[in-house]
Amino acid sequence: MGSQRNVSEFILLGLSYDQNIQMFCFLLFLLCYVSLLVGNVLILVSIRCSRLFHQPMYYFLSHLSSMDICFTSSVTPKLIADLLVRRKTISYSYCMLQVFTMHFFGMIEVLILTVMAFDRYVAICKPLHYMVIMNRTKCNLLVLATWAGGALHSFPQFSMIIQLPFCGPNEIDHYFCDIFPLLKVACTDTYITGVLLLVNSGLVTLVTFIVLCFSYVVILFTLRHLSAEGRRKALSTCGSHITVIFLFFAPSIFAYLRPPTTFPEDKIFALFYTIVAPMFNPLIYTLRNSEMQNAMKKVWFQTS
């Protein structure tokens, strides 16, 4: 059945009605977004223009930085612009596009984090076979698989959302178009759709998180057999990955692994996986990583 709708736009209720709070949020999120862009571009260019690009871990990290930019840019510019206006509207077409791009790039990011965990598992648990298992051809195939996974996740979800009829009211209690707030304003029974979307988003995120946690438990268990220097280096790398995973997955699981409804806390948790985690990723991956720091110095300051 095709979509029947009487609305051409939705009204976003945003983060707050207070003008002072909105101005503070505008300055804060503008700073966060600029920091996110600068940090991820620095990492992306530094890896691409150095020898690190030929190492699987940094090859995947460059793709993660790209996805951070794409994922956040599907939501944040609109949020920042809306903080300057009283009536926050979004067209039906742009709303549907936002739903698709956010979940498409978001799932690619989830899968790249999974691939990075697999890379660390092979490097630490099977070091003698690392270069054979993680050769460039297989790395390219893994990245291609993440894009395919993003499409398999987002296209069915998008097809269900775009068929929903919207005939009013058209107010969405969020700062961007997402699946559960849209289900709430659809003028039809959305129980079955909600369950399917919960499985597609919430359950998939939870299973991926459990797999990632299990893989790092195995990695940490294997570290007992390494030398003190090898253990220190591996813990530094794995610690960065684990921090990024928790920043991204914890709020995502809260947002999507539950009955299809909305809570006031959704907006706060959404800020973590749409802005905060992507903003901190560059800092987390460079703060204790001497190889990344040296590459950035050579690329940007032309040191020998």
Side-chain angles (χ1 to χ4, degrees), residues 32-33 39 55 64 80 83 92 101 103 106 112 118 123 125 135 147 159 179 199 211 219 221 259 270 296 299 301 304:
C32 289
Y33 186 57
Q55 298 182 33
L64 180 65
I80 294 172
L83 289 168
Y92 175 85
T101 54
H103 285 274
I112 288 178
F118 174 70
C125 301
N135 60 57
W147 282 78
S159 66
I179 51 177
V199 171
V211 170
I219 289 171
F221 184 78
M296 293 175 75
V299 171
F301 299 103
S304 56

Side-chain angles (χ1 to χ4, degrees), residues 153-166:
H153 164 74
S154 56
F155 274 107
Q157 187 166 261
F158 177 71
S159 66
M160 285 187 281
I161 289 294
I162 204 168
Q163 292 186 62
L164 291 176
F166 297 100

Side-chain angles (χ1 to χ4, degrees), residues 113-235:
L113 288 170
T114 307
V115 168
M116 292 175 74
F118 174 70
D119 171 71
R120 290 301 85 201
Y121 167 80
V122 176
I124 294 170
C125 301
K126 299 181 183 295
L128 298 178
H129 302 93
Y130 179 71
M131 295 311 298
V132 176
I133 297 174
M134 300 301 294
N135 60 57
R136 182 44 60 96
T137 300
K138 290 180 181 176
C139 288
N140 288 334
L141 289 174
L142 285 171
V143 170
L144 184 62
T146 65
W147 282 78
L152 286 173
H153 164 74
S154 56
F155 274 107
Q157 187 166 261
F158 177 71
S159 66
M160 285 187 281
I161 289 294
I162 204 168
Q163 292 186 62
L164 291 176
F166 297 100
C167 46
N170 64 338
E171 289 187 345
I172 298 177
D173 189 14
H174 216 307
Y175 63 86
F176 66 94
C177 284
D178 204 3
I179 51 177
F180 288 169
L182 283 170
L183 289 180
K184 191 174 181 180
V185 298
C187 50
T188 186
D189 183 6
T190 59
Y191 177 78
I192 299 298
T193 304
V195 171
L196 292 174
L197 293 174
L198 184 149
V199 171
N200 190 23
S201 291
L203 201 58
V204 168
T205 304
L206 178 64
V207 170
T208 306
F209 180 68
I210 292 172
V211 170
L212 287 171
C213 288
F214 179 76
S215 69
Y216 279 110
V217 168
V218 173
I219 289 171
L220 293 174
F221 184 78
T222 307
L223 290 180
R224 299 182 308 161
H225 307 295
L226 299 181
S227 64
E229 178 62 23
R231 193 182 303 120
R232 184 197 64 78
K233 187 175 180 180
L235 279 173

Side-chain angles (χ1 to χ4, degrees), residues 242-295:
I242 293 169
T243 303
V244 169
I245 286 168
F246 271 93
L247 273 176
F248 187 85
F249 277 88
S252 300
I253 290 172
F254 173 85
Y256 296 109
L257 190 66
R258 63 164 196 250
T261 185
T262 58
F263 297 109
E265 297 81 8
D266 288 349
K267 301 175 188 180
I268 305 301
F269 280 96
L271 290 173
F272 276 91
Y273 61 80
T274 58
I275 300 176
V276 177
M279 180 185 67
F280 277 108
N281 282 358
L283 184 62
I284 291 169
Y285 280 113
T286 57
L287 194 61
R288 297 173 60 189
N289 190 320
S290 58
E291 287 184 317
M292 194 68 234
Q293 291 171 6
N294 291 333

